[in-house]
Amino acid sequence: MSIDLETAARVAKLARIRVEEEALPALAAEFNTILGFIEQLEEVDVEGVEPMTSVTPMALRRRADVVTDGDQQDKILENAPDAREGFFAVPKVVE
């Protein structure tokens, strides 16, 4: 796939990037370079390769899922300027 000047101008407009007319050939060439690299990546055989999140194998440390200091609703609602029925009360913003 090749990007022409018209397509480069359209992409710049969609991205809300102001590109001067004389800079469009360089932008189109840059887009073509990026697309060429993507085409190279499509040639790589990845059959049977597991997806990974990092280049180094590691497992994230997990913490125990326990409640530490819950059940403080009354203390928290003391800070509320307006609390009703156990909840923060806020002004209506939708009509």
Side-chain angles (χ1 to χ4, degrees):
M1 178 176 190
S2 180
I3 301 291
D4 58 356
L5 296 181
E6 182 180 317
T7 306
R10 188 172 188 315
V11 169
K13 181 180 179 187
L14 289 172
R16 300 195 187 282
I17 300 170
R18 182 180 306 166
V19 178
E20 300 299 329
E21 197 70 33
E22 58 272 0
L24 280 176
L27 182 64
E30 213 171 313
F31 284 152
N32 285 321
T33 303
I34 293 168
L35 289 175
F37 181 68
I38 292 171
E39 287 173 358
Q40 280 183 337
L41 290 176
E42 288 178 351
E43 296 173 4
V44 177
D45 181 24
V46 293
E47 187 68 32
V49 177
E50 290 291 320
M52 58 185 192
T53 58
S54 175
V55 293
T56 56
M58 66 171 87
L60 297 175
R61 289 180 279 162
R62 298 181 182 226
R63 63 173 171 79
D65 189 16
V66 295
V67 177
T68 53
D69 57 349
D71 197 26
Q72 296 185 14
Q73 182 179 13
D74 295 333
K75 288 182 182 178
I76 293 171
L77 289 176
E78 285 176 2
N79 296 321
D82 187 12
R84 297 180 198 152
E85 301 175 16
F87 297 99
F88 286 94
V90 294
K92 182 179 176 182
V93 292
V94 179
E95 294 183 30

